[in-house]
Amino acid sequence: MNLGGKSVDFAATMPLATTLGVTIHEASKDRVAGKLPVRPEICTAGNIVHGGAIMAFADCLGAVGAFLTLPEGASGTTTIESKTNFLGAGAVGAVLVGEATPVKVGKRLSVWQTRIRTEAGADVALVTQTQLVLWPA
């Protein structure tokens, strides 16, 4: 992706995203989209993607969106609250598709909602997270 004339691989900037296998193929102030292949290493019993992996995937997407909407002078962002509704499962071999969009962006906080589905379109989770804007000390 291009940010200020520079190519940025947002997923590569987050070690956990790399470990999980998250890729981010679209990132703007209005939408962040990515994928997560479901493989045995990120599953729970029954070869179903672990809820923690789903939450981490959503957090990665929402964090990129929050970063892209930081006010001038802010130094970063961190998640202070996250709520997940699990709606379905993702089996080994499936690819999860996530789309994070802003609910509200302010000077101190931003709220992002991430919808996660399988590539086939089946709902897996709906995650709402609040990102705190960090300011230099």
Side-chain angles (χ1 to χ4, degrees):
M1 274 151 289
N2 217 331
L3 181 64
K6 294 181 182 179
S7 180
V8 178
D9 180 354
F10 286 108
T13 67
M14 298 178 279
L16 180 60
T18 301
T19 299
L20 289 173
V22 171
T23 57
I24 298 174
H25 57 269
E26 182 181 335
S28 71
K29 293 179 177 188
D30 299 315
R31 180 177 187 264
V32 179
K35 294 185 177 185
L36 174 64
V38 180
R39 52 189 214 288
E41 298 84 4
I42 64 169
C43 287
T44 188
N47 288 320
I48 300 299
V49 67
H50 191 283
I54 291 170
M55 294 166 67
F57 176 37
D59 191 64
C60 290
L61 299 180
V64 169
F67 172 79
L68 292 173
T69 59
L70 285 175
E72 188 173 334
S75 62
T77 181
T78 190
T79 306
I80 61 170
E81 183 179 38
S82 185
K83 162 77 168 83
T84 303
N85 291 101
F86 295 104
L87 308 170
V92 167
V95 175
L96 303 184
V97 178
E99 178 185 43
T101 55
V103 175
K104 178 160 178 71
V105 175
K107 185 174 180 175
R108 299 182 193 280
L109 298 169
S110 63
V111 178
W112 288 77
Q113 188 171 66
T114 304
R115 181 172 298 279
I116 299 174
R117 296 182 170 114
T118 64
E119 278 188 316
D123 286 329
V124 174
L126 185 62
V127 181
T128 304
Q129 64 184 228
T130 304
Q131 295 277 338
L132 176 67
V133 174
L134 303 175
W135 295 91

